[in-house]
Amino acid sequence: MASNFPEIIDLRSLRFAIDDGFTAVVANYGEFLEHLFLPVLRGLMMLEQVLQWLPWYVTIVLVTGITLAASRSWKTALVTAIMLFAVGLLGVWDEAMATIALMLASTILAIVLGIPIGVLMAQSNKLRAACLPVLDIMQTMPIFVYLIPFVMLFGPGKIPALLATVFFAIPPVIRLTDLGIRQVDSEVVEAIVAFGATSWQKLLRAQLPLAMPTIMAGINQTTMMALSMVVIASMIGAGGLGYQVLQGIQRLEVSTGLFAGLAIVFLAIIFDRIAQSLGRRSQQHLKDGA
């Protein structure tokens, strides 16, 4: 059946041009990019091996301790311990550790790249105007579209899963870093400049500390988006809980998908509580210091 909409531009030529251009990039730079990201792959593998090597009770104690230090709440820490124990009971402990390793690595990369970009956006209205449409596209693009170029470049595996997760999860930390710095009281900034502070001192001693609650909210959103993307990205060869869900679909085993899904929910709650607690403490610290 013919389409109702007239063919104004030649989409076939455009599609061929995009596909051929990307194929040329893969042919000319694919090997270089693989070598470039080899240290990242080694770091990710090491983190995963350490998490899977640690005895389960040590991991539970460590994560519970981190939760307690962040929240200062025994109830939150106890809930974390119970949920991690439940992940073990569901029989997906090793897969959960692989998912945590991939999520931690991608979240750290997103934060390391995202905060400086957000700072630069806050310093330049032109850069902000150029970046905002790109961030809008990144946040509205369907998740599976992210997998296509990275799988073409690197093939199925952990690196394309990691990079797709970073690109999907990075917009919130960029946006909220920019927003947080722009919302800093201008009188405070003018005062510190009047005392002779350099641009770096103004940024490190006034703007970033005062914007920290907003930045932490961005880190929280980035963490949650990384976890959701890691599950999808696991389906392209990264393993973990996402692969268990995929196996449940392929084998029509409801229990396999259900157990992996419950483990994902438990991990999401744990990391959300930790990130929210850190954000609240940052905000409280700011109020106490005001």
Side-chain angles (χ1 to χ4, degrees):
M1 186 174 66
S3 170
N4 287 328
F5 197 86
E7 188 174 330
I8 299 173
I9 57 174
D10 186 1
L11 284 179
R12 289 185 61 188
S13 299
L14 181 61
R15 286 175 180 168
F16 286 145
I18 293 173
D19 293 341
D20 291 346
F22 212 86
T23 302
V25 170
V26 173
N28 294 320
Y29 302 104
E31 191 173 353
F32 167 74
L33 289 172
E34 284 184 8
H35 286 294
L36 184 67
F37 286 101
L38 193 57
V40 179
L41 177 62
R42 286 175 178 163
L44 173 61
M45 294 296 295
M46 189 180 299
L47 179 60
E48 183 178 324
Q49 287 168 0
V50 168
L51 286 174
Q52 291 180 338
W53 171 77
L54 282 174
W56 61 270
Y57 48 86
V58 174
T59 303
I60 290 178
V61 169
L62 283 175
V63 177
T64 303
I66 292 170
T67 307
L68 181 61
S71 65
R72 304 289 174 85
S73 166
W74 280 105
K75 288 183 181 177
T76 306
L78 182 61
V79 169
T80 295
I82 292 172
M83 286 188 174
L84 272 180
F85 191 74
V87 169
L89 287 180
L90 290 170
V92 290
W93 183 264
D94 285 342
E95 290 80 4
M97 294 302 108
T99 297
I100 289 174
L102 188 56
M103 192 207 71
L104 285 177
S106 54
T107 301
I108 291 169
L109 270 178
I111 292 170
V112 168
L113 295 173
I115 288 180
I117 295 173
V119 170
L120 291 174
M121 281 176 60
Q123 311 293 336
S124 168
N125 288 329
K126 289 182 180 176
L127 180 63
R128 187 172 192 259
C131 288
L132 284 180
V134 177
L135 294 176
D136 290 339
I137 293 171
M138 290 172 72
Q139 286 190 284
T140 51
M141 187 74 73
I143 292 178
F144 282 96
V145 176
Y146 284 91
L147 302 179
I148 300 170
F150 293 111
V151 171
M152 281 185 69
L153 276 172
F154 300 99
K158 293 185 183 298
I159 284 298
L162 177 74
L163 294 178
T165 304
V166 171
F167 271 77
F168 178 72
I170 201 171
V173 73
I174 295 176
R175 281 183 186 278
L176 290 174
T177 300
D178 167 51
L179 181 65
I181 291 177
R182 285 177 181 272
Q183 286 179 336
V184 172
D185 192 338
S186 59
E187 292 183 1
V188 175
V189 177
E190 288 172 6
I192 195 168
V193 171
F195 279 104
T198 63
S199 298
W200 273 109
Q201 288 170 332
K202 180 180 73 174
L203 176 67
L204 296 177
R205 296 185 180 178
Q207 290 177 316
L208 281 179
L210 292 173
M212 194 51 68
T214 309
I215 295 173
M216 287 304 302
I219 291 174
N220 185 16
Q221 288 186 29
T222 291
T223 305
M224 292 299 102
M225 289 181 71
L227 183 58
S228 65
M229 186 63 188
V230 158
V231 174
I232 302 296
S234 297
M235 298 177 182
I236 59 171
L241 293 170
Y243 184 66
Q244 291 291 308
V245 175
L246 182 64
Q247 279 194 325
I249 296 171
Q250 290 174 335
R251 299 174 182 174
L252 298 179
E253 293 177 354
V254 177
S255 60
T256 303
L258 179 64
F259 291 169
L262 284 173
I264 292 167
V265 171
F266 293 154
L267 293 184
I269 292 173
I270 291 168
F271 285 106
D272 181 59
R273 295 296 179 271
I274 292 174
Q276 278 192 18
S277 300
L278 287 172
R280 278 197 297 270
R281 286 193 60 199
S282 172
Q283 204 158 15
Q284 187 62 42
H285 180 71
L286 191 62
K287 287 180 181 175
D288 294 342

